Amino acid sequence: MNLRQRLDRLKGHGAGTPAREREPEGRASVAERVRRLRPRREGHRPVQVDADQSLADRLGAELLEPGVLGCSQYLPLENTHGRFPLSTLLGEQVHLPEAQGWEPHGLVFLDTETTGLAGGTGTAVFMLGLARLEGHQLHVRQFMLTRFAGEAGMLRQAADFLAGAHTVVTYNGKRFDLPLLLTRVRLAGLDDPFSRLGHLDLLYPVRRLFRQRWPDCRLITAEQRLLGFGRLHDLPGAEAPLAWMDYLRYGDARRLPGVLTHNRWDLVSLAALCPALDQAHGTPDAFGADPVAVAKGHLKAGLRGRALEVLHQDRAALDEKGLLLMADLLRREGRDAEALHLWDALSARGCVTALEALAKYHEHVRRDLRTALDCARRLPPGEAHQRRRERLMNKLALRAGRRSEDP
């Protein structure tokens, strides 16, 4: 008895008759049912391509390759985004520390729309928006998947757009967009086109300037408060994943134009934020920014003169912390008289830090121990302050003893 006959016997069928012919009507084998569930290969690919082309036509996009749509828009630099003409991006950025020496035509602005915010291998990028200067226009280039299988193609298309760029500009891209794109590139087995570029994440200078002044530092807040730009008929970013999944599952593309618009505004806002932040670093008070935070940003970049200039501009509005920083910078610049004037004014208000600075200055720079001791005696009780007073008194006694020994 061969294997087929034994299998037929186990199934309860007689030998010699094909099993398929003896199946009760209405019941199919597991293999047959699986075969019926599989999409037929013939005609399946054209159906997908037709759907891609139909969506491309609806969105004003082009079908770049199976599963990948591309949409381009060219914005004249004469256009304004809120209060800022896009043409200001062409000017030299002289105040924003992170932008020193960059060439604006080498910038690429980047923003993603994803299937979720968790990150990791379970999160995919279904829309990748890029923008860069081309002549006197801002070229906004958006790539969108129509199915997961197009991911590698979309990443290759994006890599081509990045050719010749030196810096990618994002908003919270340091923690989200770029790590996620690096993960997707690796999973697709492609060369990484992003890590070779410099990176400017605008979230950090926005936080530096406005963390103490705004309720939050989200991009939409920066648009409203710094750029003076308000979105109309915009699909909230949190709804973008569901809008794309609705198309993927049900073919419902009604909200996808809103996703494209949302992503496009994000990119244009990035381009406008660069000159806006540059100007805010130059004149913080005019933009409601924190001048002390601006000065510290310049100091971190090694621009002490610029930090001092910013503090001078907003001197009337500086609090104690700002005036102390200004006095310290004046001292480092060799402008001792101005630093002393600030310390004297602060110490008259009871500023302990200013009194300590005066005591140190008179002791170590001017060698005026009596004035240093006078300042030290005004310091509040404390072990460190008591040691300073005792040291100064000992120095004075020693000096007096030396004088008495002189002939």
Side-chain angles (χ1 to χ4, degrees):
M1 182 181 297
N2 61 29
L3 180 59
R4 173 55 62 85
Q5 290 172 327
R6 280 183 287 177
L7 289 173
D8 287 342
R9 177 173 291 182
L10 288 171
K11 293 178 182 178
H13 302 306
T17 305
R20 187 174 296 173
E21 294 179 8
R22 295 190 301 274
E23 287 177 346
E25 186 175 355
R27 293 184 59 187
S29 67
V30 173
E32 176 65 15
R33 279 180 280 172
V34 170
R35 187 185 67 79
R36 291 175 183 174
L37 287 172
R38 288 177 181 162
R40 295 185 179 181
R41 293 185 180 277
E42 58 275 11
H44 182 58
R45 183 180 176 87
V47 168
Q48 286 186 329
V49 172
D50 289 346
D52 288 352
Q53 188 59 59
S54 177
L55 180 61
D57 294 340
R58 180 171 182 174
L59 298 177
E62 56 182 322
L63 178 58
L64 301 175
E65 53 184 277
V68 185
L69 304 186
C71 186
S72 279
Q73 186 173 11
Y74 293 87
L75 304 178
L77 295 186
E78 291 75 21
N79 287 9
T80 59
H81 191 68
R83 291 188 291 265
F84 289 84
L86 295 178
S87 58
T88 53
L89 185 59
L90 290 174
E92 185 181 1
Q93 312 300 303
V94 296
H95 301 294
L96 180 60
E98 293 87 346
Q100 299 300 304
W102 73 9
E103 201 289 307
H105 282 88
L107 304 176
V108 172
F109 306 97
L110 181 150
D111 186 65
T112 63
E113 307 301 333
T114 68
T115 56
L117 298 176
T121 57
T123 303
V125 176
F126 70 84
M127 184 178 294
L128 175 53
L130 302 169
R132 65 185 304 175
L133 290 172
E134 294 183 5
H136 290 278
Q137 295 179 311
L138 181 70
H139 180 192
V140 178
R141 183 68 165 157
Q142 296 166 283
F143 304 100
M144 191 182 79
L145 298 181
T146 62
R147 51 187 180 275
F148 287 107
E151 181 177 48
M154 179 183 72
L155 293 171
R156 285 192 296 268
Q157 295 281 343
D160 291 341
F161 191 82
L162 292 170
H166 61 69
T167 300
V168 61
V169 183
T170 68
Y171 204 88
N172 198 30
K174 182 178 180 180
R175 292 183 176 272
F176 185 74
D177 300 81
L178 289 189
L180 177 58
L181 284 168
L182 179 58
T183 298
R184 304 315 303 180
V185 164
R186 287 174 174 170
L187 289 173
L190 302 174
D191 292 333
D192 174 20
F194 302 101
S195 297
R196 66 175 177 80
L197 301 173
H199 181 208
L200 171 56
D201 189 335
L202 295 180
L203 172 62
Y204 294 92
V206 167
R207 279 180 176 169
R208 179 167 64 232
L209 271 63
F210 302 107
R211 179 167 38 199
Q212 305 299 326
R213 307 296 177 94
W214 294 351
D216 60 68
C217 291
R218 295 182 302 153
L219 178 59
I220 193 168
T221 304
E223 289 176 341
Q224 294 167 352
R225 290 178 174 251
L226 181 57
L227 300 180
F229 174 72
R231 301 191 184 205
L232 295 175
H233 313 299
D234 181 55
L235 181 75
E239 297 183 23
L242 184 58
W244 188 68
M245 293 305 295
D246 282 346
Y247 172 75
L248 210 62
R249 292 169 179 165
Y250 314 116
D252 182 358
R254 286 176 295 176
R255 292 196 290 173
L256 289 183
V259 179
L260 275 169
T261 299
H262 176 86
N263 182 259
R264 185 182 304 119
W265 285 138
D266 284 352
L267 294 167
V268 180
S269 289
L270 287 176
L273 272 175
C274 288
L277 286 169
D278 185 74
Q279 293 180 33
H281 275 79
T283 53
D285 187 55
F287 294 88
D290 182 352
V292 176
V294 171
K296 288 181 176 179
H298 288 313
L299 284 176
K300 189 175 180 180
L303 305 171
R304 191 166 65 196
R306 193 162 294 162
L308 189 54
E309 180 183 345
V310 165
L311 293 174
H312 260 300
Q313 289 173 357
D314 289 327
R315 179 172 177 169
L318 292 181
D319 58 9
E320 182 178 286
K321 181 175 63 174
L323 291 171
L324 285 170
L325 177 60
M326 184 175 173
D328 180 63
L329 293 179
L330 287 167
R331 172 71 185 92
R332 288 197 234 171
E333 290 285 307
R335 298 161 65 175
D336 293 13
E338 294 174 79
L340 285 169
H341 179 74
L342 278 177
W343 284 329
D344 283 333
L346 288 168
S347 64
R349 303 180 198 172
C351 176
V352 174
T353 304
L355 270 173
E356 289 176 337
L358 282 170
K360 292 176 184 178
Y361 179 81
H362 288 299
E363 178 183 1
H364 299 294
V365 179
R366 296 187 63 185
R367 308 292 183 182
D368 184 348
L369 298 181
R370 291 194 179 279
T371 304
L373 182 57
D374 288 341
C375 293
R377 283 172 173 163
R378 293 162 58 193
L379 291 170
E383 185 177 346
H385 294 161
Q386 183 59 32
R387 285 199 302 269
R388 179 179 297 280
R389 286 188 283 265
E390 290 175 355
R391 185 181 69 251
L392 287 167
M393 287 188 290
N394 289 335
K395 283 186 175 182
L396 280 168
L398 183 60
R399 180 181 291 180
R402 288 173 179 171
R403 286 178 180 173
S404 64
E405 294 174 358
D406 290 340

